[in-house]
């Protein structure tokens, strides 16, 4: 019984101390916030222009992997093969799960192609506007 009483006292003490320190921390954090509204002041053009080449390489790498043959992990063809294997083995639940993943993976290709085209326009804009530093 005494150990239960000590546990209760310890928990109550920790909760009380945590609430005191939590309130002090929140007050300090509010004082350190530079803008009360928290809204962005610009569109982040310079940062996007800086990251555009990396984003482009990443999209290329993902599209290459998705379009690869069945020997490439992460490719649509490999997932199609796994669906066919599950179907031939009679594993209907596995087939359903993999088929849903296949549908999602196939939908990535047009989305990434659209992003790639949009990014090409962004890179042209960045070239004409000193990498986002000028209007």
């Amino acid at each position: 019984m005494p150990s239960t009483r000590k546990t209760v006292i310890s928990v109550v003490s920790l909760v009380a101390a945590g609430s005191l320190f939590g309130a002090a921390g929140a007050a300090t954090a509010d004082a350190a916030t530079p803008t009360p509204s928290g809204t962005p002041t610009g569109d982040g053009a310079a940062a996007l222009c800086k990251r555009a080449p990396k984003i482009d390489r990443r999209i290329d790498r993902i599209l290459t992997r998705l379009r690869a043959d069945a020997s490439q992990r992460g490719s649509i063809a490999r997932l199609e093969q796994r669906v066919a294997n599950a179907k031939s083995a009679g594993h209907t639940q596995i087939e359903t799960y993999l088929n849903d993943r296949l549908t999602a993976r196939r939908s990535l290709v047009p989305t990434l192609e659209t992003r790639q085209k949009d990014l090409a326009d962004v890179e042209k804009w960045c070239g004409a506007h000193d990498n986002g530093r000028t209007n």
Side-chain angles (χ1 to χ4, degrees):
M1 195 74 153
S3 64
T4 305
R5 184 179 215 156
K6 288 181 183 179
T7 304
V8 171
I9 292 172
S10 297
V11 169
V12 170
S13 299
L14 288 173
V15 169
S19 64
L20 288 174
F21 290 125
T28 304
D30 288 340
T33 305
T35 57
S37 64
T39 58
T41 57
D43 62 357
L48 182 58
C49 289
K50 182 179 178 182
R51 289 202 34 84
K54 288 181 181 180
I55 296 169
D56 192 30
R57 285 191 302 270
R58 184 175 182 179
I59 290 172
D60 282 339
R61 189 177 67 239
I62 294 168
L63 283 172
T64 300
R65 182 177 60 237
L66 289 172
R67 293 176 179 147
D69 62 3
S71 66
Q72 174 67 42
R73 292 180 66 190
S75 70
I76 291 172
R78 185 180 182 102
L79 193 50
E80 288 171 340
Q81 183 62 49
R82 290 180 65 198
V83 169
N85 292 346
K87 185 175 184 175
S88 67
H91 301 154
T92 56
Q93 290 84 4
I94 304 298
E95 178 190 0
T96 302
Y97 175 78
L98 292 175
N99 226 348
D100 291 344
R101 285 183 57 194
L102 181 60
T103 301
R105 196 167 291 177
R106 283 181 178 150
S107 71
L108 280 176
V109 174
T111 302
L112 291 172
E113 288 171 342
T114 301
R115 286 184 185 173
Q116 197 172 37
K117 290 175 188 172
D118 292 345
L119 190 61
D121 292 340
V122 167
E123 287 176 321
K124 287 178 190 173
W125 183 89
C126 290
H129 292 91
D130 192 28
N131 288 323
R133 289 188 278 278
T134 63
N135 292 332

